[in-house]
Amino acid sequence: MTSEEIIDFVAGLHGVLALRPAPGDGTPAIGRGDAFFFYAPDGVAPEGGQPFATVVTKNYPGDEASRLDRPDAFRVNIAAGKEAFVRWTGHAPREPASGEVDPSTADVVIAHPVYGGVGWLAVVNPGERAGASTRELLRTAHRLARARHERRAESATRAGSAACGGGGPAPAGHPATSGPSASA
């Protein structure tokens, strides 16, 4: 699988906003060439929200262990949830790994070399061994991001209803129950 195939796959999932920083768009130069995926059915990046997956094509400061400075190297980073993390790594996100894993090994699902402690998984150059698993983990991350989005929208709706009197019938004497338009 190429990075473009992964980007096309994730961008094709329902409600996904794929951000690809480019010169002149106001994003930091270090993000250019990478892709960041959000569940945003309205097409607007959630303010302060984290992507559910990324594709990175270079080393970032403090994140060089995957050796993405090699030709054609890229890494898919996936927030697929605690259950998937435990299934793939054999330990909970905050627990230490039982064995050494070389984060530059291609085509293997591993704990993210920097963000594994918060449950992120990673795959360098997914291919024959980890390609199908990578797609499945990306679907899982998308499903979880969609569920979070829906919970937040539901919570915001409830909060808005509460601010407007709870959304139930207006009490007697309230402007909505009296006056000329109340019976219309």
Side-chain angles (χ1 to χ4, degrees), residues 7 11 24 40 58 64 79 82 92 113 122 132 152 155 159 169 176 181:
I7 291 166
K58 69 188 86 45
E64 297 91 8
K82 183 179 179 182
R152 286 183 186 129
S155 178
S181 62

Side-chain angles (χ1 to χ4, degrees), residues 1 4 18 32 49-50 87 96 105 111 133 145 148 155 158 170 183:
M1 301 178 79
E4 288 302 317
R32 294 182 189 144
Q50 292 291 314
R87 185 172 64 248
T105 302
S133 300
R148 276 190 303 278
S155 178
R158 281 195 306 270
S183 60

Side-chain angles (χ1 to χ4, degrees), residues 121-136:
L121 294 167
V123 185
V124 173
N125 290 47
E128 213 172 284
R129 286 182 301 186
S133 300
T134 300
R135 283 188 294 278
E136 187 55 40

